[in-house]
Amino acid sequence: THGNGPQVGELALERAAATFDVLGAESMGQIGYVLAQAMQSAGCTAVPILTQVVVDQFSEAFKDPTKFVGPIYGSVEAQALQQSLGWTIKPDGEYYRRVVPSPPPEEILQIDAVRCLLENAPDVLPIACGGGGVPVCRVPANPNTLQGVEAVIDKDACGAKLAIELEADGFIILTDGGGIWENFGKPEAREMEAATPEYLKGTKAGQKFPGSMGPKVTALIDFVEGSKKKGVWAAVGDLKDAAKIVTGEEGTFIKEDVPEGVKWRAGKTGPPRKESKDPPPF
């Protein structure tokens, strides 16, 4: 699967009348095409699947938008956009971005299509739930009828649900910032080599970064705890280290059997953390 936050936000700027379910489907096609082309160039046939995901249209998520979409803005521009377009704006690092509702995924409608490919064409790579999938809901008066929802589903949450339903042995999230860190951005920062879900929840790992690492840690925990299979694992690390993440040389592994709940990776210091500056007066 893949994200779509920047792309769907850019599309929303270009086509203000379009709803986020339609924009999500467009971005899924765009990014799926690029990924499939890249995989084909590397000798792997990939098939993007336009995936609809059912959400609860009455979810509490609609009361507190949290999903970052679109480009970054300075404080003055962010304030102007909020006032002129009615957007909800929140800090993202040292800048600001638009946020939209992000309800949790409840049902992946094309799961059988993904499973069919995996079982009958093992050499073909499915690309599914891009950007968290196209958000839809069931009409209460007629549950068989679907309609689009103005939201962007979190890709990590949907990826974890997809992995659970496919009964995957492992679930990997690739980032641009490595694994899970304690005291990220500080001189005493250290990276976890492995940790249990219980340890991560007890230390509230990633929760200081609700727009980036927070949802990823939650998704990793959800997969390990939610899977019906025994011995499953999850991992997170930098995209460039994908092969080394699988072998445990890089990134952070999450599994149930880690002595003392956590193992620290020796000899690594984290990148500096960028804080928001010039908070907008709103």
Side-chain angles (χ1 to χ4, degrees):
T1 187
H2 58 79
N4 73 341
Q7 292 81 6
V8 78
E10 291 283 2
L11 287 171
L13 286 172
E14 296 171 7
R15 299 173 55 222
T19 55
F20 266 100
D21 57 317
V22 173
L23 296 176
E26 289 186 16
S27 68
M28 193 184 302
Q30 291 175 343
I31 301 170
Y33 154 69
V34 172
L35 287 175
Q37 186 183 73
M39 297 303 296
Q40 193 71 54
S41 299
C44 173
T45 298
V47 178
I49 299 175
L50 188 65
T51 319
Q52 297 177 78
V53 179
V54 176
V55 301
D56 178 5
Q57 60 182 319
F58 304 110
S59 169
E60 291 295 315
F62 289 96
K63 298 179 181 179
D64 181 25
T66 57
K67 180 65 177 177
F68 289 108
V69 298
I72 59 175
Y73 302 104
S75 60
V76 175
E77 189 177 10
Q79 182 184 15
L81 287 169
Q82 185 191 49
Q83 293 177 346
S84 62
L85 300 177
W87 290 359
T88 301
I89 303 285
K90 291 185 178 181
D92 184 15
E94 62 179 328
Y95 298 99
Y96 300 87
R97 292 176 72 190
R98 181 184 182 184
V99 290
V100 298
S102 184
E106 295 189 345
E107 181 184 359
I108 300 172
L109 295 181
Q110 281 71 38
I111 187 69
D112 287 340
V114 178
R115 189 179 289 114
C116 182
L117 273 176
L118 292 173
E119 293 176 354
N120 297 289
D123 293 333
V124 175
L125 175 68
I127 301 174
C129 295
V134 179
V136 299
C137 68
R138 297 190 180 277
V139 177
N142 185 4
N144 289 327
T145 301
L146 302 170
Q147 63 183 17
V149 177
E150 282 273 36
V152 175
I153 303 169
D154 182 72
K155 64 183 181 299
D156 302 312
C158 198
K161 184 172 182 60
L162 178 66
I164 290 172
E165 294 196 14
L166 292 174
E167 298 184 347
D169 296 321
F171 173 51
I172 301 176
I173 295 178
L174 299 174
T175 73
D176 60 357
I180 304 173
W181 293 78
E182 179 187 63
N183 296 320
F184 182 75
K186 299 180 180 179
E188 67 273 21
R190 54 181 180 170
E191 185 182 28
M192 301 178 193
E193 181 176 331
T196 63
E198 183 179 6
Y199 180 86
L200 294 175
K201 290 190 292 185
T203 57
K204 298 182 179 180
Q207 298 311 305
K208 291 182 179 179
F209 307 96
S212 54
M213 187 55 77
K216 291 175 173 52
V217 174
T218 299
L220 296 165
I221 292 172
D222 287 347
F223 171 73
V224 174
E225 292 189 331
S227 177
K228 296 180 181 179
K229 299 185 70 173
K230 293 184 178 180
V232 299
W233 52 269
V236 58
D238 202 292
L239 173 62
K240 63 180 177 58
D241 297 324
K244 292 184 177 181
I245 293 171
V246 177
T247 62
E249 299 174 74
E250 295 288 347
T252 302
F253 258 71
I254 295 87
K255 50 188 178 179
E256 295 287 1
D257 56 340
V258 180
E260 300 182 5
V262 64
K263 179 180 180 182
W264 301 101
R265 190 174 300 282
K268 289 193 69 175
T269 58
R273 175 188 174 188
K274 294 183 179 180
E275 300 285 355
S276 296
K277 58 183 180 182
D278 301 326
F282 57 87

